[in-house]
């Protein structure tokens, strides 16, 4: 019988979740949903030295913001918990013992100083079959001495006994079969008595097994660990249920080779974290996608395409479409350039698709930030204003610069435009325009435009000059949406008021 697909995202709470980690979580989620399986969130906190307070909450909040749903985890619960490794010490102790009893692992008593001395003495020293005999461990020392050391509570580590001369096969669903020689592997530390905790390798394998994980989907940086993991499954006798491996391509710098780093983000001005991160030690704040004005849907769509494609040119896909199309067949082996400008384009695209009423709600806090009370305007007014300018924006915050004039009258006028468009006879023409506007029975765009244009033609005025002066008076600069759409929304009274103010305030410098 086919096993139910069960995948896990297994971050270590050592700092803010990086955007590459978010992509790993997303691919796990898409794959789980695609196959009607389960998505597990496991917190790998066995490295107490690197633990950072707040990091676990940050992970949860990031995934929730992006809509990456978790089926089993610390918060969600589930039948295979605890889902936090620091709460699974008893389990690991048992499995470490199992390997020792089976002769697949051994105690090593070498102190850090002794190891240091050895490394200084032997170039490229590796703790393995060729060197372990000269070290202080339960394979080299007499059984009596080992017992004495253990009874005395001497600190030790447990090392995995790697047999040399083996070909180790890793089957990766993106990379195919990768074969390496076991000789290049060292006898990895699996457990440290000093913290009574296993290392990443042991905890990771034991948990994947006990949590019935079917696919290990993670970043390429874990590929070098995979042969060791294969050997661990074998040593435990779990090879039959070993998960499939999927190592995702690296995220690369936007402008060149090498791994994407936080410094690239600082240098080029884009976030590398999903949410703003306040470093508890340094107090430094790092930018987040959420606080920078990205929609979660846009971030998800953008990330999904960094290393995967649907098999055609489709770019804009909501989460349901991504789930439906996702497979490892179209994942690339080579790194994906972090084209952050494309991220902006996705945000733009999702903002355009959003109903104006929804966009207007997102705009209200921005209005408040700029000292305008949204309550002073009807929802319909805000909605229509936003609808008229939204094609120009990538972020909600940019609505302010584009729609400001709908809410506050100009307090200054673009000097260049004044110079070009406001001549000595302009005030008189604008007075005349006020007369035309006040006579209009219908102030709608469709009704007012032909009347005003007719008047300009009839008088033989210069169309561009009159219309630009009109715009300058109402908007404050010669930019913005269609003029008669603006005045329709503002209404006759406000339009005339602004024309009068401009006539009074604009003075052409001689
Ligand atoms: N704890 C590892 C990490 O921080 C997990 C790697 C894996 O998925 O096996 O990414």
């Amino acid at each position: 019988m086919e096993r139910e697909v069960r995948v896990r995202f297994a971050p270590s709470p050592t700092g803010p979740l990086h955007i590459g980690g978010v992509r790993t979580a997303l691919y796990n989620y898409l794959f789980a949903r695609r196959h009607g399986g389960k998505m597990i969130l496991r917190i790998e906190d066995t490295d107490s030295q690197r633990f950072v307070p707040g990091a676990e909450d940050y992970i949860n909040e990031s995934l929730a913001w992006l809509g990456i749903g978790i089926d089993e985890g610390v918060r969600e619960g589930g039948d295979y918990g605890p889902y936090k490794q620091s709460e699974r010490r008893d389990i690991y102790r048992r499995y470490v013992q199992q390997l020792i009893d089976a002769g697949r692992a051994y105690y090593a008593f070498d102190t850090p100083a002794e190891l240091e001395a050895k490394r200084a003495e032997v170039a490229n020293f590796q703790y393995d079959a060729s060197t372990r005999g000269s070290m202080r461990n339960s394979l080299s020392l007499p059984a009596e001495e080992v017992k004495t050391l253990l009874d005395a509570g001497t600190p030790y580590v447990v090392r995995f006994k790697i047999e040399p001369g083996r070909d180790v096969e890793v089957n990766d669903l993106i990379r195919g079969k990768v074969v390496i020689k076991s000789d290049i592997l060292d006898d990895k530390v699996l457990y440290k008595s000093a913290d009574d905790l296993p290392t990443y390798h042991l905890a990771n394998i034991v948990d994947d097994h006990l949590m019935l994980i079917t696919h290990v989907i993670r970043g390429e940086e874990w590929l070098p660990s995979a042969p060791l993991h294969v050997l661990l499954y074998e040593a435990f006798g779990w090879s039959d249920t070993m998960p499939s491996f999927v190592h995702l391509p690296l995220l690369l710098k936007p402008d060149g080779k090498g791994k994407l780093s936080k410094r690239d983000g600082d240098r080029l001005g884009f976030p590398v974290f999903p949410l703003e991160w306040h470093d508890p030690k340094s107090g430094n704040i790092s930018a987040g996608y959420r606080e920078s004005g990205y929609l979660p849907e846009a971030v998800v769509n953008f990330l999904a395409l960094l290393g995967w494609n649907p098999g055609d040119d489709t770019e804009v896909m909501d989460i349901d479409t991504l789930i439906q199309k996702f497979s490892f067949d179209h994942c690339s082996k080579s790194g994906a350039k972090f084209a952050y400008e494309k991220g902006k384009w996705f945000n733009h695209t999702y903002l355009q698709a959003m109903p104006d009423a929804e966009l207007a709600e997102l705009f209200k806090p921005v209005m408040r930030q700029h000292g305008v009370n949204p309550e002073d305007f009807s929802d319909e007014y805000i909605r229509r204003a936003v609808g008229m300018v939204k094609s120009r924006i990538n972020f909600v915050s940019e609505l302010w610069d584009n729609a400001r004039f709908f809410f506050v009258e100009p307090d200054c006028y673009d000097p260049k435009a004044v110079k070009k468009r406001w001549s000595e006879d302009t005030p008189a023409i604008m007075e005349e325009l006020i007369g035309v506007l006040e006579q209009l029975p219908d102030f709608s765009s469709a009704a007012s435009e032909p009347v005003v244009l007719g008047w300009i033609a009839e008088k033989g005025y210069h169309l561009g000059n009159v219309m630009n002066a009109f715009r300058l008076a109402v908007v404050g600069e010669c930019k913005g949406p269609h003029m008669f759409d603006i005045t329709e929304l503002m209404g006759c009274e406000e339009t005339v008021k602004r024309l009068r103010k401009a006539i009074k305030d604009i003075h052409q410098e001689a």
Side-chain angles (χ1 to χ4, degrees), residues 8 10-12 44 200 204 216-218 222:
R8 83 308 192 264
S12 300
E44 301 210 324
Y200 154 74
N204 192 266
V216 166
I217 305 164
R218 61 187 173 190
W222 300 100

Side-chain angles (χ1 to χ4, degrees), residues 101-112:
D101 293 347
R104 307 300 298 256
Y106 59 91
Y107 300 103
F109 302 98
D110 317 274
T111 63

Side-chain angles (χ1 to χ4, degrees), residues 8-14 24 28 42-45 85 200 204 208 216-219 221-222 229 247:
R8 83 308 192 264
F9 178 53
S12 300
T14 53
T24 299
N28 271 284
R42 184 170 74 221
I43 300 297
E44 301 210 324
D45 58 346
Q85 290 187 327
Y200 154 74
N204 192 266
D208 283 350
V216 166
I217 305 164
R218 61 187 173 190
E221 62 274 27
W222 300 100
H229 295 179
H247 291 96

Side-chain angles (χ1 to χ4, degrees), residues 15 34 68 77 83-84 91 104 109 114 133 170 245 274 295 303 316 330 366 372 380 387 418 444 452-453 505:
R34 172 78 185 84
I68 299 176
Y83 292 91
K84 192 186 282 198
I91 300 172
R104 307 300 298 256
F109 302 98
E114 284 164 351
V170 177
F245 289 104
L295 299 171
L303 288 180
V316 180
H330 291 110
V366 179
V372 171
E380 145 136 335
V418 169
S444 72
V452 173
L453 297 187
D505 289 354

